Amino acid sequence: MSKSHTISLIQGDGIGPEVTNATRQIIEATGVKINWEICEAGAQVFKKGLATGVPKETIDSITRNKIALKGPLETPVGHGEKSANVTLRKMFETYGNIRPIREFPGVATPFSGRNVDFVIVRENVEDLYAGIEHMQTPSVAQCLKLISRPGCEKIIRLAFEFAHSEGRKLVHCATKANIMKATEGMMKRTFEEIAKEYPEIEAQHIIVDNCAHQLVKMPEIFDVIVTTNMNGDILSDLGSALIGGLGFAPGANIGDNFAIFEAVHGSAPKYAGQNKINPTAVLLSGVMMLRHIGEFEAADLIEQALVVTLGIDKTYTRDVIGDAGSVSTTTFTKAIIDNFGRTHPEWKHREYKPIDMPKIKDNQKAIEIKSRSVGGIDLFIETHNDLEEMGKRLTDLASATNMKLKLISNRGVKVYPNDHGTKPDLTDCFRCRFIATDSNREVTDDDIMQLVSLVKKDYRWMHIEKLNIFDGVAAYSKAHGED
Ligand code: NAP
């Protein structure tokens, strides 16, 4: 007799209610006792005027229950409020997004028979999804890509621990460390360091664009892929297409104290209310949830019945075979329940052990350094003035301070002094790099204030970045063309 569980259920927007109802019905049919607490979030909450899209009652419910099953939530695209999905992930520090991609018998794709079976472990709360954006000028937008050492350490350890829990033997780390050496590079460096603690698991770094290429060319070589937030978001949609589409890709957002289970897909508004979408992705998210709460038998029962429905009975929703011959969401749901107890001979059962969640000690959270200094600043200026004139003027202004103008760049490329002779397009947002006149003397806050107070008389400035030097190493990137 299984114990009773209380779980927060967010039905979601668009196709959300259809896929979560199907999942709830199938889970209940297993006999597992769940008391669902129905919670609101997303579009309906935005409409009521709550900008976060997540009301207090929903936060309280998840705080109490620790576990939620969530349908997709709509986010206005390109305008409006922030994503309630991301808000939930961040509020509950569910830093690991586990997205399995496994081929299903009977679901024909160009990759059928290749044994596609890998899992993306996506960092879920940092990176560009911190959502810290500012218009620098009316025509130039900026988004901060924040990657922290503890964030990298947690997700990388989680990837290796996850590999252990499923008996997987290879972890790839996919980054763009060749271009973003500080941010994506931190993920790569942390991976290479931590991989040494897991000698029984093979560890390989791969550049993320090649990872996308290899995923289509040779998807069977992958086992676990750990990656930063945006890379993981894109690669997991790609992965879903290898096995039949977003209707088949489940996910779990997990952290130290909370877990929120949801499909990779969104609210697919054009199919809302039509009873024709595939509930498999949310159902399999529910299966991950059942394993998380220790209901392994029910999870296996559902998984086998699903695979029999697809692979033996050839019962499909519209996304698999088109309109002709496909069944509705509700018929598909009933077919799975009717197949409880049947098994598919080719569906290899995995050993699923609970994940040993990594523990990061407080004293591991900050990197200790022996020395630090400031070697200058990048001052961001908005101007439409002539570049040569600006270069001369800033050089003049700085001559009264302890700093000198080293260069001006626009969208990252050095444009002043223009010693390479090329003419990149210019926006009205310039990065002006000032460095200490005397390299043996540290730049102080007073030096910076003095320089800014001189520059502000002639130019509109947006922000300053200090050019930190940690343990004698420049902790900032060069401009393209800077020597
Ligand atoms: P989407 O909702 O994932 O839908 C994209 C396409 O994927 C659909 O048009 C459909 O493809 C297919 N699809 C998705 N779910 C399916 C299912 N269960 N069964 C069969 N096919 C399915 O992506 P979107 O249209 O880009 O985004 C819509 C909204 O969802 C946006 O507001 C977005 O912000 C939000 N979103 C939410 C989440 C989340 O809640 N975690 C995730 C992603 C997006 P075809 O057109 O080929 O039939």
Side-chain angles (χ1 to χ4, degrees), residues 12-13 15 19 70-77 83-86 89 99 122 233 237 240 244-248 253 262-271 276-282 317-320 329:
D13 303 321
I15 60 171
V19 283
K70 184 184 139 311
L73 302 178
E74 193 180 300
T75 311
V77 181
S83 160
N85 298 304
V86 178
R89 292 171 196 163
R99 295 182 153 183
R122 164 190 174 195
D233 196 4
D237 267 38
S240 82
L246 281 167
F248 290 99
N253 303 294
E262 63 172 330
V264 171
H265 66 70
S267 59
K270 68 180 176 187
Y271 295 120
K276 51 162 92 159
I277 41 75
N278 188 348
T280 300
V282 170
T317 42
R318 199 204 122 270
D319 51 317
V320 185
T329 310

Side-chain angles (χ1 to χ4, degrees), residues 168-188:
R168 294 180 182 265
K169 300 281 177 238
L170 169 65
V171 178
H172 278 90
C173 176
T175 76
K176 195 69 186 164
N178 51 331
I179 303 298
M180 288 164 274
K181 297 170 202 287
T183 50
E184 294 273 320
M186 182 180 279
M187 185 72 138
K188 177 175 183 285

Side-chain angles (χ1 to χ4, degrees), residues 4 16 34 41 85 97 165-166 170 186 203 222 238 240-241 247 259 276 279 303 331 347 349 429 463 475 478:
S4 176
I34 294 183
N85 298 304
N97 185 195
S165 77
E166 292 203 350
L170 169 65
M186 182 180 279
F222 291 98
L238 185 158
S240 82
K276 51 162 92 159
E303 196 176 79
T331 303
W347 186 256
H349 179 72
C429 178
H463 78 260
K478 283 185 175 175

